Structure formats: structure tokens, C-alpha cells
Amino acid sequence: MAESNKMKEMPVNKLMIQMGIPMILSMALQAVYNIVDSAFVGNMKVGSEAALNALTLVFPVQMLMVAVGIGTGVGTNALLARTLGQGNSKKAAKVAGNSLFLGVIIYVVCLLFGIFGVKAYIASQTVDAKVLEMGVSYLRICCVISFGIIFFSLFEKLLQATGRSLYSTIGQVVGAVVNIILDPIMIYGIGPCPEMGVKGAAYATVIGQVASAVLLFIFHIKLNKEFGHGAKYMKPDTGIIKEIYAIGLPAIIAQALMSIMVYVMNLILKFNPSAQTAYGLFYKVQQFVLFLAFGLRDAITPIIAFAYGMRSKKRIRDGIKYGLLYTVVLMILGIAITEIFPGAFATLFNAGQSREYFISAMRVISLSFLFAGINIAYQGIYQALNGGLESLVISLLRQLIIILPLAGIFSVFARNGQMGVSLIWWAFPITEIISCFVGYVFLKKIRKNKVDALN
């Protein structure tokens, strides 16, 4: 029970650093998957421009699969941490088991889409036959072998809920290393492996994800001793599933809205394939920075949820204070890197005709990182304190209600080359600033109604 005692007794400042660093590294490595694929694909001898465009088009579905897996994991994480904080190990076992049952259902849906829906999805975004062929090949592999990323996401959150975030990071590192090693071998055809191009990138990605999932499964069984394991706990319990998604559904919607936003932005930029590719490449860099905030959020949520289960006002308040403080520090670092080195990132991806559009996007959109990071931290706080509705509203504002109409309006004036397209990029900072103001209002309300009201 040492890990539970740590969640209960360790000073929150120290606990957040100890839990947050592995989670931040874990999320950063998750973002590396897509960056590495694009970097190797962008340097293919033949068809690199079309391949980069194809990866841009498939990215929203990859994000959606991750969204459902991580969102279910977030709900499991907060509910499991709260249940352990209450000392209810029997319910904790059912929470963990039901999350794995949900993982099986999610995989079946992804498998069916991979078999029947991929071609229609890619065709809606491009008329280029080569891009269509590459996109379908890549995405079908990712969907059919998606059980790796789904169960990795669940086991990761089960380990984080008990304070064992270091082990989830080890699993992520192993998967990332496998992916990085296999990418050049399978894409370019090194040694006995034939040259597979974008198919090789897809296989390298899913093999890395499966390796991570298997390792985290072993860690979960051997280390999470605070509750029972076994198939009997996977029997569906409607009440527990409702509790998981009462917390996790806003996180799923938040992540799914990211997929919808990228898909619609691809449609908005369809008039300029170079700008479309540039946005896709920049989005992967943006995700790398914002995933630092997501990683810290995954420390904020169980720490505050555990304290909420204990009914400790001080630990909740400390969780909010240090969570926001460290998020701001991370985002300032992210802004500095992207503003100073846009050319280096463009060279990494071999952006070609998209280079100037890519640099322009990085210069403008990166200004939104500070406010975006704070919004992500707000959502972690809301989820820990049963503020699912507030979390959902912030997600809708950031990724649907403000951003897409604004980008659509700006696109009317964006038909005249790079300067016109750069106007679309300004929709991102404007959206995050407005959402951050609304998030602050929600935070004050939740602190008053749920934290200050504790006995």
C-alpha cells in the first residue's frame, strides 16, 4: 500500500513533480510516434510529398482512436484513484476490469472501420489517386492492429491511478524505441526487409504500440496489488461503466473534437494542398508541445481526485496551484522552442513546397500554447472534481464553436498565397485566449461549490 500512502501523505508539490515527469515524458514519446513517421516518410526517395499529405489526412482518425482509448482511461484513472482514496478495493477491481471490457468493444469498432470505412474517409479529403492509395494503406493497418494503442492507453492509466507512472513511461519508451528502429528498416527496405514505404511506417507504428501494451499489461498484473485481477472483474457493470464515462466522456469528446477540428481544417485548406500538408506537419509539432500539458494533466487529475476522495481541502488547493504553475512553465518552454527553431523542424520533415506555409503556421499558432496549456490543466482539475460539464464546454469552445467558424471566415480572404493563408492561423491564438477566460470563470465556480463546501 506504499503507493496509496504516497498519494495520501507526500507533499503535493513533490508528488506532482514525481508523478508528472514520467507522465510528461510518456505523452511526449506518444507524440514522437507521429513525428518520427513523418520525418522518415518525408525523406523517401520517391513520392515523399504525396506521402506527407497522406499522413496528414489519416491523422484525425489516429487521434480519434487515441481519444477513445485515453478518454476511457482518464475516466478509469480518476474513478480508480478516488475509489482507492476511499479504501474500497473491491470496487477498484471492478473499475479496472470494466475498463478492459470497454477496451475490447473499442477495438472491435476500430477493426470494422479499418475494413469497411477507410477508403471513403480518405476520398472525402483528396482527389489525388496517389495520396488516396497511400492514405488507405496506412490507415487500414493502423485500424486493424489498433488493439496495441487502445490497451496501452488503458494499462497506462491503471498504473498512473496507483501512482506508478514511472512504469507507464518505461512501456512508452520501449514502444517508441521499437518504432524508431523499425521505421527506416521497413520504410526504406534495409537488410532482409523489403521496401514498404508508407505501409512500413504503419507497421513500425503498430508494432511499437503492441510492444508497449504487452509490457504495461505485465506491469499492471505484477504491481497493481491494491485490487484484484481476473476475467471475473471484466463482467460488465452498468453502474461502473456510467461512472467511468461520467468522468471520461468529456475527455473523449475533447480528444475527438481535436480529430474533427483537424479533419475540417483539412477541408478548409483543400484549396491549397501545400498549406494542407503544412498544417498537418505543424499539428504534429503542436501535439508534441501540448502533450506535455496533457502529461501533467494526467498527474493533476489523480492527485486532486484522491484528495477529493479524502476530502482534503489543502491537498486539492495545492494540486490546483502547482498544476497550473508547472503547466505555464512547460508552455513557455514550448513557445520558445517553436519560435526559435521553425526552420529546423521544416528541414526535419523535408517539407518541400510546404516549407514557407509550415514556418508561417509555426510562428503564429505557437503563440496560443500558453493559453492552450492552461485550458488543458483546467480540464484535468474539472475532471478530478466531477466537473465534466465544464470540461466539455471548454473543449467545445476550443475545438469547435470558436475555432472552426473563425477559420472558415478567415479562409474567404486566404486565397492569395502565403500571406492570405497565414490569416487562418490567427484563429488559433484568438480561440485559446477566449476559452482561457471562460475556463477561469468555471474554476472559480468549482472551487466555491465543491472545494470550499467540503467539511
Side-chain angles (χ1 to χ4, degrees), residues 172-355:
Q172 185 72 268
V173 169
V174 169
V177 170
V178 169
N179 184 26
I180 291 169
I181 292 172
L182 291 181
D183 255 331
I185 293 172
M186 304 183 87
I187 292 171
Y188 306 140
I190 298 175
C193 184
E195 182 179 348
M196 290 188 281
V198 293
K199 285 186 179 180
Y203 280 122
T205 295
V206 296
I207 291 170
Q209 292 167 347
V210 171
S212 293
V214 170
L215 187 57
L216 290 198
F217 169 71
I218 295 169
F219 288 153
H220 167 66
I221 295 297
K222 291 192 173 292
L223 299 175
N224 277 345
K225 299 296 187 182
E226 290 86 353
F227 50 87
H229 306 288
K232 64 181 180 180
Y233 297 114
M234 291 179 65
K235 182 179 179 181
D237 184 313
T238 305
I240 286 177
I241 291 173
K242 284 181 178 177
E243 285 189 84
I244 288 174
Y245 282 121
I247 303 165
L249 187 59
I252 291 175
I253 293 173
Q255 296 269 358
L257 285 172
M258 292 163 64
S259 299
I260 294 169
M261 183 185 76
V262 174
Y263 176 71
V264 175
M265 286 297 296
N266 284 339
L267 296 180
I268 289 172
L269 294 166
K270 194 175 180 179
F271 70 92
N272 189 326
S274 293
Q276 191 182 55
T277 300
Y279 173 67
L281 293 176
F282 171 74
Y283 197 83
K284 294 176 183 183
V285 177
Q286 174 180 274
Q287 286 303 92
F288 181 79
V289 176
L290 294 187
F291 270 26
L292 304 180
F294 281 121
L296 186 57
R297 180 206 64 186
D298 288 344
I300 293 169
T301 300
I303 288 171
I304 296 178
F306 199 103
Y308 192 48
M310 289 173 55
R311 304 180 70 81
S312 170
K313 286 185 185 182
K314 182 180 186 304
R315 292 183 71 82
I316 294 172
R317 289 170 178 160
D318 284 349
I320 294 171
K321 178 176 71 175
Y322 290 116
L324 290 171
L325 175 63
Y326 294 146
T327 297
V328 167
V329 171
L330 284 174
M331 292 302 97
I332 290 173
L333 178 62
I335 292 170
I337 292 171
T338 49
E339 288 289 340
I340 294 170
F341 302 111
F345 283 103
T347 301
L348 172 68
F349 294 125
N350 191 22
Q353 296 177 9
S354 305
R355 181 182 179 88

Side-chain angles (χ1 to χ4, degrees), residues 17-31:
I17 292 173
Q18 189 179 100
M19 288 182 63
I21 290 175
M23 292 181 183
I24 290 165
L25 291 175
S26 178
M27 293 299 287
L29 286 168
Q30 187 169 314

Side-chain angles (χ1 to χ4, degrees), residues 38-104:
S38 295
F40 282 115
V41 165
N43 286 281
M44 286 166 46
K45 291 180 181 178
V46 179
S48 62
E49 194 85 17
L52 285 174
N53 198 357
L55 263 60
T56 295
L57 302 184
V58 305
F59 194 47
V61 172
Q62 288 181 289
M63 291 168 58
L64 187 59
M65 290 190 293
V66 171
V68 179
I70 287 183
T72 303
V74 165
T76 302
N77 182 340
L79 180 59
L80 185 58
R82 189 183 309 150
T83 304
L84 291 172
Q86 295 165 345
N88 190 343
S89 59
K90 185 176 179 180
K91 181 179 178 181
K94 290 184 178 180
V95 171
N98 273 254
S99 74
L100 300 180
F101 165 77
L102 292 169
V104 174

Side-chain angles (χ1 to χ4, degrees), residues 392-407:
L392 176 58
V393 170
I394 294 299
S395 296
L396 288 169
L397 290 175
R398 294 180 60 225
Q399 290 153 337
L400 188 67
I401 294 173
I402 302 175
I403 181 69
L404 294 181
L406 204 56

